[in-house]
Amino acid sequence: AGVLFSKDPDEDTGKDEGAPDYTLLNVADICEFADTCELDDVRPILERQLSCNCAIAEEGLTGSYGAGIGRVLLTANGDDERTRARAYAAAASARMNGCDLPVVINSGSGNQGITASLPVYIYAKELGASEEKLYRALLVSNLVTLHEKTGIGRLSAYCGAVSAGAGAGAGITYLHGGGCREISHTIVNALA
């Protein structure tokens, strides 16, 4: 029963040296960035997020993965935007049941990337939002999700999909014309 691994405690700073510093994020700056950033700087990653995450949601709705919760939601609850937003996110969990399509992550998690993007996309379609408004709302959702995770850490008993759901709520509020105050209240209400 010898020592299998030993590490000098002075070497461990507790920080992931390769990770970006998200502690600088706050809701006011996120809202300002979403309103003013040059979309060409972020368009490629947002396009990829939508392309990948929508593709796996469609596959989850048409394929035989797990319990087919996306289809069940649509069948049981109708086809309004609230149900579609939940159904698409649930259907994209086909990745957890063997579907090998790629997803674009948030906070190191595919499920968080799905949750932060698909409901915002569904609401944008329903509202007839412009591509620019959709991308700015996705910025709000993704950055709010990252911001919420700063106090939780990378590995926690707290489910990060809850943060992503609150982020999606913030993005949907942005689509509806909400400003920083309304987005802040949405985040608080969603987390409460």
Side-chain angles (χ1 to χ4, degrees), residues 79-82 84 120-129:
D79 194 21
D80 62 81
E81 69 274 6
R82 287 180 181 181
R84 258 192 329 279
V120 176
Y121 170 72
I122 295 297
Y123 271 85
K125 279 181 47 176
E126 181 68 25
L127 294 169

Side-chain angles (χ1 to χ4, degrees), residues 26-28 30-31 34-35 106 115-117 119-121 123-124 127 133-148 161-191:
N26 62 68
V27 176
I30 289 170
C31 292
D35 283 339
N106 184 304
T115 304
S117 61
V120 176
Y121 170 72
Y123 271 85
L127 294 169
K133 188 75 168 182
L134 166 61
Y135 287 165
R136 293 187 187 284
L138 283 170
L139 286 172
V140 169
S141 179
N142 281 293
L143 291 174
V144 164
T145 299
L146 288 169
H147 171 52
E148 291 174 291
V162 174
S163 297
I172 293 166
T173 300
Y174 186 90
L175 286 171
H176 280 283
C180 187
R181 182 176 185 273
E182 292 80 13
I183 288 168
S184 296
H185 284 295
T186 298
I187 296 164
V188 169
N189 287 340
L191 293 176

Side-chain angles (χ1 to χ4, degrees), residues 56-65 68-72 74 87-88 91-92 94:
I56 198 166
E58 292 291 341
E59 178 65 20
L61 286 171
T62 59
S64 297
Y65 297 97
I69 299 299
R71 279 192 313 277
V72 170
L74 290 173
Y88 264 65

Side-chain angles (χ1 to χ4, degrees), residues 51-104:
S51 173
C52 289
N53 295 358
C54 286
I56 198 166
E58 292 291 341
E59 178 65 20
L61 286 171
T62 59
S64 297
Y65 297 97
I69 299 299
R71 279 192 313 277
V72 170
L73 285 170
L74 290 173
T75 301
N77 299 333
D79 194 21
D80 62 81
E81 69 274 6
R82 287 180 181 181
T83 301
R84 258 192 329 279
R86 291 192 313 263
Y88 264 65
S93 70
R95 64 185 290 276
M96 305 299 286
N97 290 293
C99 183
D100 62 358
L101 291 175
V103 298
V104 173

